[in-house]
Amino acid sequence: MTSKWSEVQILSRPPCLSKIIIEIEVLVDPIGIKSGEEILDIATAEELSIEGEKIYFDNSEESLTIIRHSCAHLLAQALKDLYPDAKFFVGPVIEDGFYYDFRVGESLTLDDLPKIEKRMKELSNKGSKIEKYVLSRDEGVEKFREDDLKIAVISKIESDELSIYKQGDFEDLCRGPHLPHTKMLSNFKLTKISGAYLGGKEGAEMLTRIYGVAFADKDALKEYITRIEEAKKRDHRKIGHDISLFKFDEDIGGGLPLWLPNGSRLRSKLENILYKAMRKRGYEPVRGPEILKSQAWKISGHYYNYKENMYFTQIDDEDKEQSSEYGIKPMNCVGHIKIYQDALRSYRDLPLKFFEFGVVHRHEKSGVLHGLLRVREFTQDDAHIFCTKEQVKDVILEVIDLITKIMATFGFSFEMELSTKPDNAIGEDAIWEEATKIIEKILKDSGHPFAVDEGGGAFYGPKIDFKITDAIGRKWQCGTIQIDLNLPERFDLEYVDENNNRARPIMIHRAAFGSFERFIAILIEHYAGEFPFFIAPTQIIIIPIAAPHQEYAKELKSMLMDLDIDVDILDRNESLNKRVRNAEKQKVPMIVVIGDAEVAEKRVAIRDRRKKEQYNLSIDEFKNLIKENMSEVGF
RNA sequence: GCCCAUAUGGCUCAGAGGUAGAGCACUUCCUUGGUAAGGAAGAGGUCACGGGUUCAAUUCCCGUUAUGGGCUCCA
């Protein structure tokens, strides 16, 4: 095709002008063709005589795919300039940008990115056509024979033809699609640098990976950067520190959170609400020990299927081999199974629902620990439901209903995902098939849309996962429902059916929050630390203006504590302004200021975070307002 | 676990081969203030831990621990 470079050169002109001309001219010149699911650049489309939907230079998904792919090449070109010995592996477009994996003699750091970015800009400003040509496989192997990384790439390609894209003196093996000219790349940013295993395989050579992002225009790039900054501001590790929710300590160990008073207040509120919701649905509280004999984990299968994630300890005589080995629980199911076996169960008892805010330990590789989102010790809002086959449907529907109500309360929407048999599954295929079918039918009947994750199930059964979407559109996996036909078998669980015969119950593992740690991290980021009244660690801060008002402050506090409200009084010898500021910084939903007028008339002056206004109420009105706030919640 | 980076008073961070500094927080005093920082004084650190180089290391090198960015996206 013949390229018209006028419209691209104008990208360096004043934004308003470029925008207008882009709108007029670029619209005329497509950068690619979409044929079915495939995105082709113009060169390829012409070569194969494929026609389809035209892709123009804008921020559409298809256009960005092309832009970012070319930007990855621009990155490689700049790297080649700066580090002539660099060898390149793959540089794909990913969900949120692109990356390029490469090998280079020296180790690069974040500080090197600006330099590389600058070189990219220079190359883009200079501009060169991006041209494609095709080689036979043999020619390609010959061309890259000195380059083991490219040979590795070629070895994974099935086609007999290899395409090469050339811009200036830089060439790269690539299937495209690409822009017609490097001048079109001016709105990009290199974002991260890291190591990445060759081919993503642990143990393989570690290459250097640089991540970046690119857009069609400056505004979109700016918006992207703003969004990243917003997410950063909400980082639960930062907010958790700012408002003293939790901390980690080197002397205690990585991934082992310490819950400060504020964080513990928040946790208890979640626990209390959930406890009530469980009891209302007929769940019974139970509790198992933290460590169980290894023999129990052998029966359950954890000893063989989950050992890398478990911690073990030796008790009593260390010489006594197996009998003295105990495993710290990574799950609560075994304890609950033993509790089930405490009595001979009748079909009349089922479904039997046991729940526990169970503390579990799981070994995570040191490099993956991340604030509260990835820890080694956490508390699950765990439950195990023992039921008959006939009851499975209703039980699952009830759990879906509970999770729906919980997520709605916090303002999350969610999607469901069915995960099927993994490679390390235990139990017979027939059992798996049956369980998977049951879930599939329920999901279809429920009318909720759901996706399928093949091979993503737990080793003992298929599961439904809940993926929630937070206030700034990020997705998190939380709740889960897992059908388990294996553990009842392994522990020989029974109930007496209506014909006085022994029958095998089905076990359903489920969690709504998943873990308190993870869920609280998500809540912190979702609310940016500004928790709704019903879970805020400190719900009200009372500020008496001067000493004579302290007595009244105490009275108010006592009244509020009776309503189960967490209240702090800020009566330190500091200016009123400063105390208000400190209270605001704590992100407390409500600040009550009291002075002469309030004491005299038994009223309160409220500074309301949510309404962002101040108002004055009588004590009764205030009490009603609080009660109203609290009655809005409950699952 | 692997790659790269970081580690200085409670917190956020300066700093230099010759044994350390600011702001906030903390303590005491003054100030009794009507809605986001009133004022003054004081206390607090073997510069993460363990080795090594050096006349001398917190500063350079190695290891450990912890933290941060990644390690799924396939020319």
Side-chain angles (χ1 to χ4, degrees):
Chain A
M1 73 167 256
T2 47
S3 309
K4 286 180 197 159
W5 286 111
S6 55
E7 79 274 17
V8 179
Q9 277 153 0
I10 48 78
L11 287 171
S12 55
R13 290 185 192 169
C16 50
L17 182 58
S18 359
K19 214 169 175 179
I20 294 165
I21 304 179
I22 284 170
E23 277 170 15
I24 299 166
E25 292 212 42
V26 175
L27 277 175
V28 185
D29 249 4
I31 57 168
I33 295 290
K34 187 176 184 183
S35 164
E37 281 306 296
E38 248 191 311
I39 297 172
L40 306 169
D41 52 36
I42 295 298
T44 309
E46 282 181 2
E47 171 192 322
L48 304 173
S49 309
I50 290 176
E51 299 206 354
E53 201 182 317
K54 289 191 173 73
I55 300 168
Y56 295 98
F57 186 76
D58 56 22
N59 288 308
S60 70
E61 204 186 314
E62 294 80 9
S63 170
L64 287 180
T65 301
I66 300 176
I67 293 170
R68 289 169 179 176
H69 206 150
S70 291
C71 205
H73 274 212
L74 187 64
L75 165 62
Q77 187 180 7
L79 285 166
K80 191 79 194 165
D81 270 12
L82 295 165
Y83 311 94
D85 65 332
K87 288 215 166 34
F88 299 91
F89 187 52
V90 293
V93 172
I94 54 174
E95 201 176 308
D96 217 12
F98 63 86
Y99 67 76
Y100 218 120
D101 282 355
F102 56 97
R103 183 198 294 139
V104 66
E106 55 203 288
S107 63
L108 303 185
T109 74
L110 207 54
D111 299 332
D112 294 312
L113 296 187
K115 182 176 69 189
I116 299 165
E117 222 170 68
K118 194 173 158 236
R119 188 73 195 121
M120 288 169 73
K121 292 244 156 79
E122 286 163 9
L123 288 168
S124 157
N125 285 340
K126 203 174 94 197
S128 38
K129 276 189 184 173
I130 301 175
E131 291 164 312
K132 176 183 178 180
Y133 63 91
V134 176
L135 293 179
S136 73
R137 193 179 182 87
D138 291 344
E139 288 168 330
V141 170
E142 174 59 22
K143 184 176 176 62
F144 291 105
R145 99 187 108 88
E146 298 289 314
D147 189 336
D148 61 312
L149 292 182
K150 283 297 165 195
I151 294 295
V153 174
I154 291 173
S155 72
K156 287 195 292 184
I157 300 171
E158 287 176 8
S159 158
D160 289 331
E161 286 193 337
L162 303 172
S163 56
I164 311 288
Y165 281 79
K166 178 173 162 56
Q167 55 196 56
D169 52 9
F170 176 79
E171 290 190 339
D172 198 2
L173 172 76
C174 184
R175 67 173 167 190
H178 281 286
L179 294 169
H181 202 284
T182 59
K183 276 230 169 184
M184 299 174 97
L185 293 165
S186 53
N187 301 295
F188 59 82
K189 189 171 172 55
L190 299 181
T191 51
K192 286 177 282 203
I193 182 164
S194 79
Y197 294 113
L198 198 157
K201 289 191 193 74
E202 200 169 327
E205 180 189 350
M206 182 66 71
L207 301 176
T208 305
R209 173 176 295 181
I210 290 181
Y211 287 88
V213 70
F215 291 94
D217 58 69
K218 205 168 242 163
D219 290 346
L221 177 64
K222 216 168 164 180
E223 197 187 303
Y224 171 83
I225 293 170
T226 311
R227 207 171 65 232
I228 298 296
E229 280 165 1
E230 175 61 25
K232 212 170 171 183
K233 269 188 233 155
R234 289 168 178 256
D235 191 315
H236 75 280
R237 292 165 301 183
K238 180 177 166 11
I239 293 176
H241 170 259
D242 288 348
I243 59 176
S244 305
L245 298 175
F246 60 87
K247 64 171 280 190
F248 291 90
D249 191 298
E250 196 177 335
D251 296 334
I252 298 297
L256 304 171
L258 293 159
W259 287 86
L260 304 174
N262 281 346
S264 302
R265 288 180 180 188
L266 176 90
R267 268 181 82 117
S268 329
K269 290 192 179 84
L270 290 172
E271 281 173 6
N272 292 341
I273 300 167
L274 205 50
Y275 188 97
K276 204 166 156 189
M278 299 284 95
R279 296 289 298 121
K280 258 165 67 181
R281 286 172 173 75
Y283 287 75
E284 293 295 342
V286 294
R287 196 173 186 290
E290 301 282 311
I291 61 174
L292 289 73
K293 279 186 181 166
S294 283
Q295 184 55 26
W297 299 118
K298 284 178 182 168
I299 295 172
S300 69
H302 288 84
Y303 199 83
Y304 306 105
N305 295 284
Y306 204 71
K307 201 172 182 185
E308 301 75 54
N309 292 298
M310 286 179 69
Y311 297 108
F312 292 91
T313 185
Q314 212 67 25
I315 290 188
D316 295 330
D317 189 352
E318 293 198 9
D319 296 333
K320 275 195 198 162
E321 294 176 14
Q322 299 177 339
S323 60
S324 58
E325 189 187 53
Y326 283 67
I328 301 174
K329 68 173 174 178
M331 298 183 194
N332 305 296
C333 36
V334 174
H336 292 191
I337 284 171
K338 287 294 168 187
I339 292 166
Y340 177 89
Q341 290 174 321
D342 176 60
L344 188 57
R345 307 293 180 180
S346 147
Y347 73 97
R348 295 171 191 276
D349 299 327
L350 306 184
L352 193 53
K353 308 168 182 176
F354 291 151
F355 81 96
E356 173 181 359
F357 298 146
V359 178
V360 295
H361 292 77
R362 292 182 187 175
H363 180 70
E364 299 281 0
K365 289 178 186 167
S366 59
V368 304
L369 301 177
H370 181 91
L372 289 180
L373 286 170
R374 202 74 178 271
V375 288
R376 288 179 173 158
E377 183 263 4
F378 57 98
T379 306
Q380 293 179 298
D381 64 318
D382 203 5
H384 294 94
I385 301 169
F386 301 86
C387 62
T388 67
K389 210 172 178 181
E390 292 70 36
Q391 290 168 336
V392 169
K393 182 177 176 179
D394 285 343
V395 166
I396 291 184
L397 285 176
E398 189 194 69
V399 177
I400 292 177
D401 173 70
L402 171 69
I403 294 178
T404 305
K405 288 204 168 83
I406 291 174
M407 295 314 162
T409 304
F410 293 110
F412 294 117
S413 59
F414 69 85
E415 297 156 17
M416 290 191 287
E417 190 174 86
L418 166 62
S419 298
T420 60
K421 190 179 170 188
D423 291 338
N424 66 339
I426 56 175
E428 291 163 32
D429 283 354
I431 293 181
W432 272 89
E433 227 166 85
E434 192 180 350
T436 309
K437 254 187 213 155
I438 293 173
I439 298 190
E440 213 165 4
K441 182 161 187 340
I442 291 168
L443 285 176
K444 274 182 187 150
D445 290 353
S446 77
H448 288 86
F450 68 96
V452 178
D453 175 14
E454 291 292 347
F459 71 84
Y460 45 75
K463 60 177 184 171
I464 304 172
D465 285 326
F466 293 77
K467 294 197 168 161
I468 63 177
T469 304
D470 75 9
I472 56 172
R474 291 173 304 176
K475 292 191 166 130
W476 309 89
Q477 205 226 291
C478 282
T480 182
I481 304 175
Q482 306 175 354
I483 291 207
D484 187 347
L485 304 167
N486 281 303
L487 286 179
E489 192 80 29
R490 286 171 165 254
F491 283 93
D492 197 21
L493 297 186
E494 288 181 335
Y495 66 91
V496 180
D497 70 13
E498 47 276 71
N499 302 316
N500 203 25
N501 293 324
R502 299 294 166 106
R504 184 84 71 215
I506 287 174
M507 196 171 157
I508 293 169
H509 310 236
R510 50 106 286 187
F513 292 167
S515 91
F516 281 90
E517 282 72 11
R518 184 179 163 77
F519 194 69
I520 288 173
I522 295 166
L523 284 179
I524 293 170
E525 306 209 353
H526 176 59
Y527 290 119
E530 303 204 338
F531 299 109
F533 190 84
F534 71 100
I535 51 165
T538 303
Q539 291 156 302
I540 297 177
I541 283 183
I542 303 177
I543 304 182
I545 290 176
H549 316 126
Q550 284 174 10
E551 200 49 42
Y552 181 49
K554 283 181 196 154
E555 278 172 40
L556 283 174
K557 178 174 177 176
S558 160
M559 175 200 93
L560 290 164
M561 294 291 275
D562 284 341
L563 296 173
D564 292 325
I565 303 296
D566 271 314
V567 188
D568 286 346
I569 298 177
L570 275 194
D571 59 357
R572 299 190 38 161
N573 186 12
E574 280 162 341
S575 67
L576 176 65
N577 280 347
K578 181 151 184 179
R579 284 179 288 155
V580 169
R581 175 183 151 83
N582 285 342
E584 283 288 344
K585 271 172 60 182
Q586 284 298 301
K587 304 182 191 293
V588 173
M590 216 178 253
I591 299 171
V592 168
V593 179
I594 50 175
D596 287 341
E598 286 73 24
V599 172
E601 296 166 42
K602 293 282 168 200
R603 295 179 72 81
V604 289
I606 295 170
R607 185 180 161 109
D608 192 312
R609 187 193 68 203
R610 193 182 282 177
K611 293 181 186 158
K612 301 216 182 302
E613 60 180 35
Q614 294 173 31
Y615 47 90
N616 200 293
L617 297 180
S618 74
I619 288 209
D620 282 341
E621 288 165 335
F622 181 43
K623 237 178 170 168
N624 288 335
L625 174 69
I626 300 300
K627 283 183 185 161
E628 212 176 285
N629 272 338
M630 295 305 285
S631 67
E632 282 170 14
V633 238
F635 313 134

